[in-house]
Amino acid sequence: MGNSSRKGQLELGINRSPEKDRNFHLGGRSFYFFDFDDNIAFLTTPLILFHKTDRHEVKISSGDFAQYHQSIGKSGPYADYDLDFCDTTGTFRNFRDHHIEDIEKLQGKKQIFVQDVAEALGFPDFQWKGPSWECFYHATFNQRPLSVITARGHHPETLKDGIRVFVQNKLLPLEPNYLSVYPVSHKETRALLGDAELKEGTAELKQRAIRASVEKAIETYGYNPHHRFGMSDDDPKNIQLIAEEMTRLKARFPEMSFFLIETQHGNFVKHEIKLGGLRGEKVENLSQLSFFEEDRQKS
């Protein structure tokens, strides 16, 4: 990818000034939670399905998996295929870290996630930038406390290494101000979230990660009724359970504000979690909306 295709993003960083948090004057902070795949960025990392009869492999994208995963093996285009949960040879093997020998590290070999981020940057911006990229850039540029909550199973440091590739390529001005990093299929992370027996599903683990991130935000930055939390995700099941968890958090911290950004199928729907339910609005262009910092002051 040539320098010309990156020029707009570089100029955006040069011409803008840091902004204070939406409720800075009241002591509140704005916390951003992001899913990674098909949200911050589109990567070409494939998932692998296995034919029920002869076990031949078919690769599908993370976007297709989000759309069809509940029908795989039952109906639809992947009715004749199964998932395999072996971390080494199964469906999600490219979403896990692989052992790299010391000699290979010296030779510059990187984990798959880091390689895939670097490879994505060889494509035009519109191909790899996810629907929440501008919000991610805004949160990073302004050093908002930020959490990455993803279904991937890499080590948290691997995720940071991959995101560092954006910084090295001057697509981000500096590294994010990480509040937390939860790759919820990573075994040690699952244990940290109370799932040492590996029984919980991805959406349930994301719920736990959201709760843990909110608790860490309050522990790190102090309790303030004017804190604001927002998360973006594209998976329909995850969105439903994220809304459920944020509803519980709203009941627990009723003075604070909670938002969910739905980014599936190219649509942007911003939901504010209220004690009486969700209040949603479709957003035509997320590039000018920083989750929840651009909405009007409540009366």
Side-chain angles (χ1 to χ4, degrees), residues 10-106:
L10 290 170
E11 287 182 349
L12 175 65
I14 292 169
N15 293 335
R16 68 194 294 176
S17 299
E19 303 168 24
K20 292 181 178 180
D21 293 75
R22 179 71 174 83
N23 284 338
F24 178 83
H25 62 297
L26 299 171
R29 299 298 302 265
S30 298
F31 300 91
Y32 285 72
F33 300 168
F34 294 93
D35 176 38
F36 188 90
D37 287 281
D38 306 329
N39 203 41
I40 291 175
F42 295 103
L43 302 186
T44 57
T45 315
L47 295 97
I48 314 298
L49 301 182
F50 299 84
H51 195 274
K52 291 180 178 181
T53 304
D54 60 17
R55 306 304 291 170
H56 78 260
E57 300 181 0
V58 168
K59 296 179 179 180
I60 67 169
S61 69
S62 55
D64 283 345
F65 184 77
Q67 182 176 355
Y68 294 112
H69 70 85
Q70 296 197 60
S71 64
I72 291 171
K74 302 172 185 175
S75 61
Y78 302 109
D80 295 328
Y81 291 84
D82 281 331
L83 303 177
D84 183 324
F85 293 97
C86 175
D87 282 346
T88 306
T89 61
T91 297
F92 305 102
R93 65 193 187 217
N94 297 315
F95 290 76
R96 308 288 187 265
D97 283 351
H98 293 172
H99 177 71
I100 299 177
E101 300 289 348
D102 289 342
I103 186 66
E104 293 177 303
K105 291 178 182 176
L106 290 173

Side-chain angles (χ1 to χ4, degrees), residues 271-287:
H271 301 278
E272 182 172 5
I273 312 298
K274 309 291 278 186
L275 289 174
L278 298 180
R279 186 188 74 191
E281 62 176 294
K282 188 172 182 179
V283 180
E284 294 300 328
N285 184 357
L286 206 64
S287 67

Side-chain angles (χ1 to χ4, degrees), residues 116-281:
D116 284 352
V117 171
E119 182 180 325
L121 302 188
F123 294 95
D125 285 3
F126 71 88
Q127 289 189 21
W128 67 260
K129 283 185 178 177
S132 289
W133 171 262
E134 295 297 341
C135 286
F136 183 67
Y137 185 97
H138 169 89
T140 300
F141 181 85
N142 290 289
Q143 289 293 276
R144 302 290 190 260
L146 180 156
S147 296
V148 178
I149 300 173
T150 170
R152 285 177 174 266
H154 308 290
H155 191 284
E157 290 301 319
T158 299
L159 290 176
K160 291 181 180 180
D161 288 344
I163 291 170
R164 191 170 295 122
V165 173
F166 295 127
V167 182
Q168 293 165 345
N169 283 270
K170 303 189 186 306
L171 292 157
L172 288 177
L174 70 173
E175 294 203 29
N177 173 21
Y178 290 109
L179 174 70
S180 61
V181 178
Y182 285 114
V184 301
S185 295
H186 178 244
K187 288 181 180 177
E188 288 80 2
T189 300
R190 294 180 73 154
L192 191 65
L193 293 171
D195 184 35
E197 295 183 2
L198 310 181
K199 292 182 177 180
E200 299 291 347
T202 297
E204 291 81 3
L205 288 164
K206 282 193 170 186
Q207 286 185 318
R208 296 187 184 194
I210 291 168
R211 188 184 324 140
S213 297
V214 170
E215 290 170 348
K216 185 172 182 182
I218 294 171
E219 176 187 341
T220 304
Y221 293 92
Y223 180 93
N224 188 290
H226 302 287
H227 286 333
R228 298 161 75 83
F229 297 88
M231 178 160 185
S232 64
D233 204 302
D234 67 297
D235 186 292
K237 183 181 180 184
N238 290 345
I239 288 164
Q240 177 186 345
L241 293 189
I242 290 167
E244 291 176 5
E245 183 59 36
M246 284 192 159
T247 300
R248 286 190 285 269
L249 287 164
K250 179 66 175 177
R252 184 176 168 189
F253 304 110
E255 306 94 340
M256 298 182 189
S257 298
F258 295 87
F259 297 83
L260 168 62
I261 308 295
E262 223 177 314
T263 61
Q264 57 181 329
H265 308 312
N267 295 318
F268 308 106
V269 181
K270 182 182 77 170
H271 301 278
E272 182 172 5
I273 312 298
K274 309 291 278 186
L275 289 174
L278 298 180
R279 186 188 74 191
E281 62 176 294

